[in-house]
């Protein structure tokens, strides 16, 4: 496929690599809908919040601090509600859950967008490797805490990545979630993104028989603040080739917006989405037994985290 074909081709949904968040939501009236998105202050999360609010949704935008969430929400036209949610701090996640419940907001979509990538050195939170904790466990606490707040047709959208292919070949390293036996920046980012896929898979299984859906998304490769932990040479290269070879931020935000609100995605659940279409992830990302085990282990981790 030539670069031109890549940028212009469309899949069965009618959208493709080059579609933007505005394209995939064009003509939709989201008034009356409430959508929560994590990581609303940067990158594709910020663009998704802007476009969903533009189409009339009330967007609950979360960021690590209330100040960051407020600043991001103030920069957007439309109805937004800023909420603090530091995913690596269970107390903050539980407070965010309590705030959403107190507001009484029923969620039509919940987009688990926030994430960190390729930390150069191993870091941990509560004895768990930090990318796994932030990208998966933090969102696991948030989503499971908000299940009762979901509408009957709610969609949960979980940002994964094509980098899930870089997860260990054994899948999730359940016997070393602290990464004490060895650490690799990309291997552990990949593991957290495989966990995002498996979480969506198990959630979709639990939603079976209802109109609720859960899907995982690869947004494309986009030059955002996500690259902040990459070495300076790689970051400079990324910045240079970005405008030519990577997706723009509006293109990167498309798939999560499509999954969250487009009528064409209403019946899709348990899938891996990229370029606003269903794609095939690596084989173990579809392993239902692995997905179930991850859920159980995540519950065990959640049970030993501080509550207040
Ligand atoms: N960009 C890509 O090429 C690419 C490719 C594949 C997948 N993805 C996925 O897409 C998602 C969005 O990435 P992006 O490119 O938009 O990155 P980004 O610009 O760095 O945005 C990431 C967001 O996550 C927030 N975040 C990070 N750690 C957090 C924590 N502990 N608690 C709460 N929020 C936290 C960040 O907050 P701060 O600004 O305060 O740090 C920021 O709002 C991520 O899940 C990423 O893995 C991106």
């Amino acid at each position: 496929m030539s670069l031109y074909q890549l940028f212009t081709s469309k899949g069965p949904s009618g959208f493709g690599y080059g579609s933007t968040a505005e394209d995939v939501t064009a003509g939709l009236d989201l008034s009356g809908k409430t959508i929560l998105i994590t990581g609303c202050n940067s990158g594709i999360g910020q663009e998704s919040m802007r476009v969903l609010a533009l189409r009339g949704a009330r967007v609950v935008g979360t960021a690590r601090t209330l100040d960051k969430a407020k600043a991001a929400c103030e920069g957007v036209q439309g109805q937004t509600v800023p909420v603090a949610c530091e995913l690596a701090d269970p107390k903050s996640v539980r407070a965010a859950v309590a705030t959403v419940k107190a507001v009484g907001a029923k969620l039509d979509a919940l987009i688990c967008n926030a994430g960190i990538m390729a930390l150069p050195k191993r870091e941990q939170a509560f004895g768990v490797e930090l990318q796994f904790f932030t990208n998966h466990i933090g969102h696991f606490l948030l989503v499971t805490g908000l299940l009762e707040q979901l509408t009957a047709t709610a969609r949960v959208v979980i940002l994964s990545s094509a980098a899930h292919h870089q997860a260990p070949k054994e899948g999730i390293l359940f016997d070393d979630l602290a990464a004490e036996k060895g650490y690799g920046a990309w291997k552990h980012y990949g593991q957290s993104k495989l966990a995002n896929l498996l979480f969506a898979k198990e959630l979709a299984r639990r939603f079976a028989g209802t109109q609720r859906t859960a899907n995982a998304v690869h947004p494309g490769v986009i030059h955002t603040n996500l690259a902040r932990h990459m070495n300076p040479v790689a970051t400079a290269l990324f910045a240079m080739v970005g405008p030519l070879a990577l997706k723009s931020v509006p293109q990167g935000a498309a798939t999560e917006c499509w999954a969250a609100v487009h009528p064409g995605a209403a019946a899709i659940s348990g899938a891996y989405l990229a370029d606003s279409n269903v794609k095939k992830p690596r084989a173990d990302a579809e392993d239902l037994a692995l997905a179930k085990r991850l859920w159980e282990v995540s519950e065990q981790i959640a049970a030993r985290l501080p509550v207040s």
Side-chain angles (χ1 to χ4, degrees):
M1 188 187 274
S2 70
L3 267 184
Y4 176 78
Q5 283 170 322
L6 173 71
F7 291 151
T8 57
S9 67
K10 307 264 190 278
S13 70
F15 302 107
Y17 183 98
S19 304
T20 64
E22 288 201 17
D23 293 336
V24 303
T25 58
L28 298 183
D29 176 5
L30 302 182
S31 47
K33 304 264 183 212
T34 300
I35 299 171
L36 186 150
I37 183 161
T38 65
C40 76
N41 63 301
S42 180
I44 60 177
Q46 189 171 27
E47 173 66 359
S48 296
M49 176 166 77
R50 182 189 75 78
V51 173
L52 295 169
L54 178 76
R55 301 297 183 219
R58 174 171 67 152
V59 184
V60 180
T62 81
R64 290 171 194 253
T65 65
L66 189 55
D67 282 349
K68 281 190 178 191
K70 275 184 179 161
C73 286
E74 278 163 12
V76 160
Q77 269 186 355
Q79 236 188 313
T80 53
V81 183
V83 172
C85 181
E86 164 55 67
L87 290 163
D89 176 1
K91 284 185 270 181
S92 173
V93 179
R94 290 188 171 121
V97 167
T99 302
V100 174
K101 285 185 174 171
V103 172
K106 286 284 178 190
L107 301 175
D108 296 283
L110 200 175
I111 309 177
C112 299
N113 163 86
I116 46 171
M117 179 179 82
L119 301 184
K121 291 195 182 128
R122 186 200 66 195
E123 293 179 54
Q124 297 173 338
F126 305 95
V128 175
E129 190 277 320
L130 188 58
Q131 292 171 97
F132 188 84
F133 196 97
T134 305
N135 298 350
H136 170 59
I137 296 293
H139 281 125
F140 180 84
L141 293 177
L142 184 71
V143 173
T144 53
L146 288 173
L147 285 177
E148 284 170 16
Q149 296 306 117
L150 299 180
T151 63
T153 56
R155 305 182 191 184
V156 179
V157 180
I158 301 172
L159 270 284
S160 175
S161 170
H164 77 273
H165 285 281
Q166 305 201 35
K169 62 177 175 3
E170 306 90 316
I172 305 291
L173 301 175
F174 289 110
D175 65 343
D176 189 25
L177 289 176
E180 298 283 354
K181 296 180 189 164
Y183 175 74
W186 288 103
K187 180 175 90 168
H188 282 84
Y189 176 64
Q191 174 174 254
S192 74
K193 293 286 136 181
L194 176 62
N196 291 146
L197 260 157
L198 291 164
F199 179 31
K201 200 81 190 159
E202 174 63 11
L203 198 53
R205 193 188 68 74
R206 288 168 183 248
F207 285 163
T210 76
Q211 288 178 278
R212 291 176 176 166
T213 65
N215 290 294
V217 162
H218 168 58
V221 182
I222 312 111
H223 182 51
T224 63
N225 291 329
L226 194 67
R228 66 168 79 78
H229 296 297
M230 282 162 61
N231 75 52
V233 178
T235 308
L237 202 66
F238 209 48
M240 254 162 43
V241 301
L244 295 172
L246 309 181
K247 277 191 182 183
S248 65
V249 168
Q251 289 169 332
T255 305
E256 64 192 80
C257 289
W258 182 78
V261 299
H262 196 280
I268 299 172
S269 195
Y272 175 57
L273 309 173
D275 301 335
S276 305
N277 282 283
V278 176
K279 295 283 158 72
K280 196 94 188 125
R282 87 179 209 185
D284 58 357
E286 303 195 298
D287 180 337
L288 294 177
L290 185 60
K292 184 166 177 284
R293 183 166 180 213
L294 175 67
W295 184 289
E296 287 162 3
V297 170
S298 303
E299 278 183 330
Q300 287 159 17
I301 292 171
R304 62 175 160 78
L305 294 173
V307 270
S308 59

